[in-house]
Amino acid sequence: MQDSATMENPCSLETIDKDELIRILIEALPEIREQLGLEYADLERATNIGAKRITAFEEGRQRPRWSEYLSLVFVLWRDEKGRGMVEEKGLFPEELKLAFSVNRNAH
């Protein structure tokens, strides 16, 4: 028997291509950060991911963990311009919104 959370939200994180989303983020992050006028220190404060680590993501020397991906996307998402860029790049697909039960009308 399924629990009520599973019945209400049939989308699961297991169906999301996390590797592909992380790849897209690594590619898009420098442009998004620049367009939003965010310094590495700004993202570090907002996500608790070290500025050197974020730099390493952008340079392809390190790969974000899934939790770091989510932190970065959620921080970018909270800004209206950032939300548009996140949507445009496909960084917060409907499947992920459903998995987190994000109501688009509430933002």
Side-chain angles (χ1 to χ4, degrees):
M1 181 171 175
Q2 291 182 328
D3 62 31
S4 62
T6 303
M7 290 180 358
E8 291 174 16
N9 188 1
C11 187
S12 167
L13 288 175
E14 286 80 35
T15 64
I16 295 170
D17 189 347
K18 295 174 187 173
D19 289 333
E20 178 62 9
L21 289 174
I22 289 170
R23 185 197 65 75
I24 295 168
L25 176 66
I26 290 169
E27 186 177 295
L29 187 56
E31 174 190 352
I32 293 172
R33 193 177 52 73
E34 183 179 314
Q35 290 289 322
L36 297 178
L38 294 171
E39 300 292 330
Y40 293 111
D42 299 325
L43 286 178
E44 180 177 32
R45 279 189 299 277
T47 64
N48 206 30
I49 302 169
K52 288 182 181 179
R53 186 152 167 79
I54 295 169
T55 301
F57 298 159
E58 290 187 357
E59 293 173 352
R61 293 184 289 110
Q62 293 182 12
R63 186 171 174 80
R65 292 184 294 267
W66 181 241
S67 61
E68 292 169 322
Y69 169 88
L70 292 173
S71 293
L72 287 163
V73 168
F74 289 152
V75 164
L76 298 172
W77 176 262
R78 69 182 182 191
D79 174 90
E80 187 174 333
K81 185 175 180 182
R83 186 176 306 129
M85 296 179 82
V86 165
E87 290 282 345
E88 178 185 315
K89 302 291 184 185
L91 292 168
F92 198 13
E94 291 302 316
E95 302 89 5
L96 189 55
K97 291 175 190 166
L98 286 171
F100 284 104
S101 299
V102 173
N103 180 348
R104 296 181 78 190
N105 297 323
H107 299 285

